[in-house]
Amino acid sequence: MTTVGAAVPHESARDHVTGAALYTEDLAGRFPGLLHAWPITAPHAHARVLSIDAGPSRTVPGVVDVLVGSDVPGEGDSGANRHDEPLFPTEVLFHGQAVAWVLAESRDAARAGAERAVVGYEPLPALLTIDEAIAAGSYLNDPLRLARGDLTAIERSALRFDGELRIGGQEHFYLETQVSIAWRDETGGCAVVSSTQHPSETQDIVARALALPDNQVTVECIRMGGAFGGKEVQANGLAAIAAVGAWKTGRPVMVRLTRALDMMLTGKRHPYLARYEAGFSSDGRIEALRLEFYSDGGWSLDLSEPIMWRTLFHCENAYFVPAIEVTGRVCRTHKTSQTAFRGFGGPQGMIVVEEVMAQAAQRLNIPPEIVRRRNLYAQGQHTPYGQAVDEADRMSTIWDRLLTTSDFERRRAAVDAYNQANSTSKRGLAITPVKFGISFTATFFNQAGALVLVYRDGSVQVNHGGTEMGQGLFTKVAQIAADVLGVPLASVRTMSTRTDKVPNTSATAASSGTDLNGAAVADACRQIVGRLRSVAAGLFDCDPSSVTFDQGVVSGGGRTVSFASVCEQAYHQRVSLFANGFYRTPEIHFDPSTGRGKPFHYFAFGAAVSEVEIDRFTGASRVLRVDILEDVGDSIAPVVDRGQIEGGFMQGLGWLTVEELLWDDRGRLSTAGASTYKLPSWSEVPDTFNVAFLEEATERSVVFGSKAVGEPPLMLALSAREALRDAVRAFNASAIVTFDSPATPERIFFAVRRARLSLPGGAPRRAAATADAS
Ligand code: MTE
Ligand code: MOS
């Protein structure tokens, strides 16, 4: 009997719904004398800090101290790569940036203290948009580039067109905001419990700030109430503030951002500007594509460069483009430092090629699903960066199966009939693919460690470097440990993630949590089973290779004993019952200077069909039905995977249709709360939502044949954007329908208006060449 593949619930499902699951802030009550921190925030997007007078803050009852730059014993900077994020800036680089922190007995006192501080600023001019940054030549990096083939093919193509697409960012809106508690531990080191996806990096940054070696700092993550990439690096600086406060005052310090502060201070999904120029044959085959991406990186580099790389790696999505040139550059603006967000730049790449496919279909008058199908990768073809698309046939298999299972053809006719019969509301139907590369593109991150402890009674503790943010990593890893050890799932306890159990870990990100940590845990468990096998063979007087372990029962030579009794026996024979495991992803490499390599261990494939309805007078839209077919390999936890697919799709739908970040002309985020920032909720869930896994999809080189599922489904929501385009076009079958993202009711309203009045959509840079439509 196996645990892997069984429909087990998320290991914390019950605790999540009863409220018993503990999050970092819930531990606050365990720290007598805990101080709360509140930032003194700058009212300018760009300014020099001339003076900070914290005297008035200190008069507020309950205020204990005010942290300023000179309180940092070590390096006062939390920038993980470039060291470009001063903890106490002398130059303010975005509206709301913290210039100092007030510590007090209560959060209210700290807040009142922060409000009293008198800070002198010299305001400076600010760059608030991508366009302003481009005009000023303000960038955070040199251009990145991928290219192959002969781009002059564009000039010879039967259909040529170009244009621009503006792509909005996205707030993570994890339910648990950023939080860290730091204190001086029993042996004089610094202990931190933090809502961080990357405890080892948080440890590094705290150690740097306190001028301590890494072994003096312990970081623990118990679980996160969602992270979505927003806690991959952005927890670090806040943990460092808590640590500096604890070091200075000798008391435990908690930094916990309110929702408004979290939205004001922390980075988001990057807004992008993309320019495209495409050439197609008259039968809808893409011949050449030139793309330029500009992301709004905000004030510091953060992860913007690898995020832009992932945009480049995904700018052809699932389509083979013979000649392609793509460049990407990160703009430096006076905004929050944009960061990782589910898909990590991939969504911004894919939305553009889907725009290009849609426009080609419209201009050629060929159904978009046919244009897309014609351009899907075939077996043996390579990506622009030179990686073979192994299992490309999975993509076309998924596509063709989904067209059948979603009843696409019949529904196409039904949608057309509906549109014939209705003049004020129209429906749209579309299918789009996803091919998403799995692995960190920084090759060295693709490693993981584990520490598995078996006790004499047969119970098990599993430690690994991955963090749990609701995605179900701990569920899957426990299943893996249970199966490899041959014990019931209930015997396995997964411990919170701690840097003193497993060192030098990678962020839990890039959807590779299970691939990496699951494999490391399996490695440790195999070592233990190997030793127990010999012990059991001795008990049974049989050949070790004939001993089996299953659900706590060990069998061999026609006899059975309990797993616990074999453990007890091993202990008495002085056989070690614990092991550390390790895994490194094989054969991946990438050279940024040549833009060539094999950055991904494999690709995750999927496709979605969405049907929508729009209203001509309001631009309001509704998603009626979604059908998804996703390649998750052999699913380790089908219930968890289904949740990831549904949740990922909904988060993508939010990004593409309702969530809109707006900044005012002073660089202040106007949408800094749930009252002004619309999130997808129950009412946006499709009326019919069918999710299926591709069958017979074993991924041979991954633990238990499974495949990553955390990010890829987000991009399936592009099918809804394309269905909206289809619905708009129902108002005028000869219109070229384009609109920026997100497709809010306003944008749909104006897109309908443009279509009805036959006004050009989007913002083409050059007149589109005529094509031989066929
Ligand atoms: N699911 C939940 N419930 N909460 C999250 O924060 N983060 C997503 C995805 N699914 C997230 C989630 C992101 S951005 C990534 S990279 C993966 O989970 C990380 O976990 P994994 O590698 O274990 O899939
Ligand atoms: Mo996910 S954006 O890789 O944390």
Side-chain angles (χ1 to χ4, degrees):
M1 210 172 100
T2 60
T3 304
V4 165
V8 300
H10 187 286
E11 43 83 28
S12 291
R14 177 178 290 268
D15 291 348
H16 286 158
V17 295
T18 59
L22 295 182
Y23 296 86
T24 298
E25 191 187 12
D26 297 321
L27 305 187
R30 302 180 184 186
F31 296 94
L34 179 78
L35 295 176
H36 299 256
W38 192 279
I40 298 172
T41 57
H44 304 284
H46 189 198
R48 222 179 310 282
V49 181
L50 303 175
S51 59
I52 300 177
D53 178 7
S57 308
R58 292 176 190 274
T59 64
V60 172
V63 168
V64 170
D65 213 332
V66 178
L67 297 179
V68 293
S70 56
D71 293 322
V72 182
E75 186 187 335
D77 191 292
S78 63
N81 302 314
R82 191 175 275 177
H83 300 233
D84 60 350
E85 297 182 8
L87 288 170
F88 297 93
T90 52
E91 182 184 349
V92 171
L93 292 175
F94 68 97
H95 192 283
Q97 188 170 17
V99 296
W101 291 77
V102 176
L103 304 181
E105 306 286 352
S106 70
R107 191 186 298 154
D108 284 349
R111 179 178 198 163
E115 273 163 15
R116 292 278 191 87
V118 181
V119 183
Y121 296 99
E122 178 195 340
L124 298 168
L127 299 171
L128 297 175
T129 63
I130 291 177
D131 302 78
E132 286 171 12
I134 294 173
S138 171
Y139 298 106
L140 283 161
N141 72 340
D142 294 327
L144 312 180
R145 183 173 178 273
L146 282 181
R148 104 161 138 213
D150 174 13
L151 263 292
T152 63
I154 291 190
E155 307 304 328
R156 295 188 296 275
S157 289
L159 170 70
R160 316 192 283 284
F161 57 92
D162 60 23
E164 265 186 14
L165 185 67
R166 282 168 198 276
I167 307 157
Q170 188 178 21
E171 164 63 34
H172 299 85
F173 225 102
Y174 23 61
L175 292 179
E176 177 208 33
T177 53
Q178 302 272 357
V179 52
S180 285
I181 303 175
W183 69 99
R184 198 185 278 266
D185 71 17
E186 309 74 37
T187 55
C190 179
V192 180
V193 53
S194 173
S195 185
T196 173
Q197 286 173 256
H198 199 170
S200 282
E201 191 172 82
T202 304
Q203 173 195 24
D204 267 345
I205 302 293
V206 167
R208 235 163 68 181
L210 298 183
L212 293 174
D214 280 347
N215 71 349
Q216 294 297 321
V217 178
T218 311
V219 175
E220 173 178 14
C221 176
I222 48 179
R223 63 159 61 74
M224 286 168 279
F228 308 110
K231 297 169 179 173
E232 193 171 336
V233 300
Q234 303 239 336
N236 298 338
L238 300 168
I241 295 292
V244 169
W247 232 236
K248 184 178 181 205
T249 61
R251 292 170 64 171
V253 172
M254 176 164 75
V255 172
R256 199 288 247 173
L257 302 182
T258 57
R259 178 65 61 190
L261 277 178
D262 196 297
M263 291 187 79
M264 180 161 90
L265 299 184
T266 69
K268 301 151 201 335
R269 185 189 294 285
H270 294 69
Y272 270 56
L273 165 65
R275 299 195 175 125
Y276 53 85
E277 192 183 347
F280 280 76
S281 67
S282 57
D283 66 348
R285 269 172 228 280
I286 190 162
E287 292 174 331
L289 180 63
R290 183 176 280 127
L291 299 171
E292 276 173 36
F293 290 99
Y294 296 91
S295 69
D296 183 344
W299 70 283
S300 73
L301 184 62
D302 194 276
L303 292 165
S304 296
E305 191 152 79
I307 287 166
M308 183 55 85
W309 270 122
R310 194 167 272 273
T311 299
L312 267 50
F313 288 136
H314 290 84
C315 72
E316 43 36 306
N317 190 7
Y319 308 113
F320 176 71
V321 185
I324 186 165
E325 180 185 38
V326 47
T327 56
R329 208 156 185 201
V330 183
C331 295
R332 179 177 187 265
T333 60
H334 295 98
K335 293 230 215 42
T336 52
S337 186
Q338 315 325 349
T339 192
F341 195 141
R342 206 170 194 172
F344 206 79
Q348 292 97 322
M350 290 185 193
I351 189 177
V352 179
V353 75
E354 294 306 339
E355 174 75 32
V356 166
M357 288 294 157
Q359 284 203 31
Q362 294 180 350
R363 290 168 194 273
L364 295 169
N365 254 314
I366 305 175
E369 59 276 12
I370 295 194
V371 171
R372 291 192 164 93
R373 177 70 175 85
R374 273 192 189 147
N375 287 292
L376 291 181
Y377 273 107
Q379 208 71 10
Q381 289 176 328
H382 288 70
T383 64
Y385 42 92
Q387 173 161 357
V389 185
D390 294 329
E391 298 171 331
D393 51 345
R394 281 197 193 189
M395 188 67 253
S396 31
T397 304
I398 288 172
W399 188 273
D400 297 341
R401 265 189 215 166
L402 185 63
L403 284 178
T404 308
T405 56
S406 69
D407 203 8
F408 193 92
E409 222 170 294
R410 191 196 56 78
R411 287 169 59 209
R412 175 77 262 171
V415 164
D416 292 344
Y418 179 91
N419 292 339
Q420 282 291 319
N422 291 275
S423 61
T424 63
S425 115
K426 300 283 184 190
R427 291 190 176 167
L429 183 70
I431 174 169
T432 57
V434 168
K435 162 185 134 287
F436 194 75
I438 302 300
S439 288
F440 289 95
T441 56
T443 304
F444 61 89
F445 275 136
N446 296 286
Q447 57 174 310
L451 175 65
V452 175
L453 315 176
V454 177
Y455 294 89
R456 285 163 63 184
D457 66 354
S459 65
V460 180
Q461 278 186 359
V462 169
N463 300 274
H464 57 82
T467 53
E468 175 63 39
M469 57 195 95
Q471 86 279 37
L473 172 66
F474 281 22
T475 309
K476 292 182 178 181
V477 172
Q479 289 173 278
I480 290 168
D483 263 18
V484 178
L485 290 172
V487 299
L489 189 56
S491 300
V492 178
R493 179 173 177 216
T494 311
M495 307 306 288
S496 63
T497 314
R498 296 183 58 114
T499 57
D500 55 357
K501 289 289 178 61
V502 180
N504 313 319
T505 56
S506 299
T508 304
S511 303
S512 55
T514 301
D515 292 13
L516 299 173
N517 297 288
V521 166
D523 175 39
C525 293
R526 276 189 207 107
Q527 296 173 44
I528 296 169
V529 167
R531 294 176 215 146
L532 292 179
R533 191 178 292 285
S534 303
V535 173
L539 283 178
F540 298 143
D541 197 17
C542 71
D543 188 72
S545 65
S546 68
V547 176
T548 60
F549 294 76
D550 185 34
Q551 295 287 327
V553 177
V554 183
S555 315
R559 291 165 55 200
T560 63
V561 293
S562 70
F563 183 79
S565 59
V566 178
C567 293
E568 180 68 23
Q569 187 65 32
Y571 170 74
H572 281 281
Q573 292 178 13
R574 293 179 294 165
V575 171
S576 163
L577 283 170
F578 68 101
N580 66 307
F582 188 74
Y583 176 76
R584 58 200 296 270
T585 312
E587 289 167 13
I588 46 175
H589 57 92
F590 179 70
D591 179 356
S593 65
T594 58
R596 288 285 179 283
K598 182 183 187 248
F600 303 118
H601 188 37
Y602 61 90
F603 295 101
F605 298 105
V609 171
S610 288
E611 182 175 346
V612 303
E613 187 176 309
I614 60 173
D615 178 79
R616 169 180 147 197
F617 297 115
T618 62
S621 65
R622 228 155 52 84
V623 182
L624 305 174
R625 174 170 163 183
V626 171
D627 293 74
I628 291 174
L629 183 55
E630 180 72 16
D631 170 18
V632 299
D634 293 337
S635 178
I636 290 177
V639 178
V640 168
D641 285 352
R642 176 174 296 266
Q644 286 292 293
I645 293 167
E646 291 172 351
F649 182 93
M650 287 309 298
Q651 198 163 35
L653 188 66
W655 170 57
L656 289 165
T657 61
V658 297
E659 297 181 47
E660 188 168 34
L661 292 165
L662 297 171
W663 285 269
D664 69 13
D665 56 6
R666 292 166 52 201
R668 202 167 32 175
L669 183 65
S670 311
T671 50
S675 58
T676 45
Y677 184 75
K678 184 164 168 54
L679 292 155
S681 65
W682 200 240
S683 49
E684 276 72 31
V685 174
D687 300 346
T688 306
F689 203 167
N690 298 320
V691 172
F693 304 151
L694 181 68
E695 284 164 5
E696 292 164 24
T698 310
E699 188 67 34
R700 279 180 302 281
S701 63
V702 184
V703 63
F704 280 92
S706 67
K707 252 175 142 159
V709 69
E711 294 167 286
L714 181 133
M715 287 148 276
L716 295 172
L718 287 165
S719 58
R721 178 179 152 82
E722 293 308 319
L724 287 169
R725 189 194 310 274
D726 188 52
V728 173
R729 206 168 188 238
F731 286 101
N732 177 354
S734 62
I736 305 302
V737 176
T738 74
F739 42 84
D740 287 336
S741 185
T744 54
E746 293 90 329
R747 286 215 178 80
I748 293 300
F749 174 84
F750 286 112
V752 168
R753 196 163 169 274
R754 285 195 302 271
R756 284 169 46 81
L757 301 177
S758 295
L759 297 172
R765 282 181 303 150
R766 283 193 334 210
T770 49
D772 264 342
S774 56

